[in-house]
Amino acid sequence: MIPRSDQDGDRFDRAGFEIRQFSPIELAEVVIATDPELLGEDRSARQDWDGFDPPCTLKTESDIKVLPIQKRNLKPGSVYQGIEAAGDRWARKACDIARESVEQKGGPFGAVILQVDDQSGRILRYWTGCNEVTLSNDPTAHAEVVAIRKACVSLGVFDLGAIRKAASKLAQPGETSHCVIYSSTEPCPMCYGAIRWAKLKELFFAATRFDAAVEGVGFSDQALYEEFAKPYSERGMKIRQCEVGNSLDAFNLWKRSEKIEY
């Protein structure tokens, strides 16, 4: 991601990243951040397909016969039991960003990070990210990581779970605020790790990892999940734990030094 250099008042932060501020109408529409409502056991009222049926632009149109439109999320067994919820405008926005990313030759993933005032529950601002792996030649530029980087740089913090007014580069009405993340798709292990390291308070996603793995989409994390369950000696790449005399120097210096812990 290359930061924008053209600054325009509050539209861009000091690093040049665009910050999305609400207009007065948008503030009136969604003043308070609310949790999407959990769905019960009745699956009859789930997920209406929006009817989006893009034309086939593959080299051979016959491919469309083996790559049909998918109309329901794949949710085998009880993997998502207890977390299924009604989608809201932010979940839809993350999915719109993912579709727009494909239209711009990026990857089919989008994310939105909201900053929420702790005292009032007001949504203060938001950042968006899309998958930029092929656009920036950066295999770590997944949508969630891009959005996290933008929010952290804009706010001047590395902890998005507890943003103090005195530490933030951007104005906030209360003494503390926090961020939550919406993703168009269930985060991969790398992105989930980034979300946890950023200490984001809440995660909401739409499509599942099983949707991302279907034929024609082809983003399966299954091999990673399987590798995590294996000892290093049985994983899919050469891995060695190297014994060198200075391997603990950084840790010994760290624990005996004044530092900013994270």
Side-chain angles (χ1 to χ4, degrees):
M1 172 65 190
I2 301 174
R4 291 283 299 272
S5 59
D6 52 330
Q7 305 261 338
D8 181 19
D10 289 337
R11 278 193 61 209
F12 300 94
D13 64 18
R14 295 175 187 175
F17 287 115
E18 186 174 5
I19 305 166
R20 303 298 178 86
Q21 300 279 6
F22 287 107
S23 70
I25 293 175
E26 287 172 320
L27 272 176
E29 289 175 350
V30 61
V31 177
I32 305 299
T34 57
D35 285 344
E37 182 181 355
L38 284 173
L39 299 174
E41 292 301 317
D42 180 13
R43 293 176 175 266
S44 62
R46 303 289 179 89
Q47 189 191 359
D48 292 326
W49 177 48
D50 67 358
F52 181 65
D53 188 355
C56 181
T57 59
L58 298 171
K59 290 182 180 179
T60 57
E61 234 178 277
S62 61
D63 288 340
I64 200 168
K65 295 178 181 178
V66 295
L67 300 173
I69 291 295
Q70 183 179 336
K71 300 179 181 180
R72 291 286 185 273
N73 293 127
L74 299 176
K75 296 187 279 188
S78 59
V79 177
Y80 304 100
Q81 186 175 345
I83 68 164
E84 294 168 296
D88 60 13
R89 63 176 290 185
W90 302 109
R92 289 189 293 274
K93 185 169 187 63
C95 293
D96 283 341
I97 292 167
R99 188 200 71 250
E100 292 163 3
S101 177
V102 177
E103 293 169 350
Q104 299 300 317
K105 307 303 181 185
F109 303 96
V112 182
I113 289 179
L114 309 179
Q115 184 185 9
V116 181
D117 179 64
D118 284 344
Q119 185 173 1
S120 66
R122 273 185 53 196
I123 299 172
L124 304 178
R125 55 182 64 88
Y126 66 93
W127 297 263
T128 63
C130 63
N131 185 288
E132 300 178 0
V133 170
T134 57
L135 297 177
S136 61
N137 293 318
D138 179 357
T140 70
H142 290 198
E144 296 91 338
V145 173
V146 169
I148 288 169
R149 288 171 178 168
K150 287 183 180 180
C152 288
V153 170
S154 296
L155 292 164
V157 300
F158 52 78
D159 182 346
L160 295 177
I163 305 160
R164 292 180 295 106
K165 187 173 186 176
S168 177
K169 291 181 180 179
L170 301 178
Q172 59 184 54
E175 288 302 313
T176 59
S177 65
H178 69 275
C179 290
V180 302
I181 188 167
Y182 282 78
S183 180
S184 65
T185 306
E186 182 178 355
C188 72
M190 178 185 74
C191 291
Y192 185 77
I195 288 167
R196 296 294 287 171
W197 275 109
K199 296 181 173 61
L200 284 154
K201 292 283 189 180
E202 298 166 4
L203 162 65
F204 307 97
F205 63 84
T208 71
R209 66 178 185 265
F210 303 98
D211 299 324
V214 300
E215 184 178 2
V217 181
F219 293 95
S220 177
D221 297 322
Q222 187 59 36
L224 290 175
Y225 289 107
E226 291 175 356
E227 279 204 27
F228 291 149
K230 296 178 181 179
Y232 280 117
S233 60
E234 296 177 12
R235 298 190 183 184
M237 61 183 296
K238 181 188 287 186
I239 303 174
R240 298 290 184 267
Q241 188 271 314
C242 301
E243 295 188 1
V244 291
N246 62 344
S247 65
L248 300 174
D249 289 358
F251 292 146
N252 288 327
L253 178 60
W254 173 264
K255 66 186 178 184
R256 291 189 172 189
S257 301
E258 292 295 326
K259 52 190 166 287
I260 299 174
E261 295 186 359
Y262 60 94

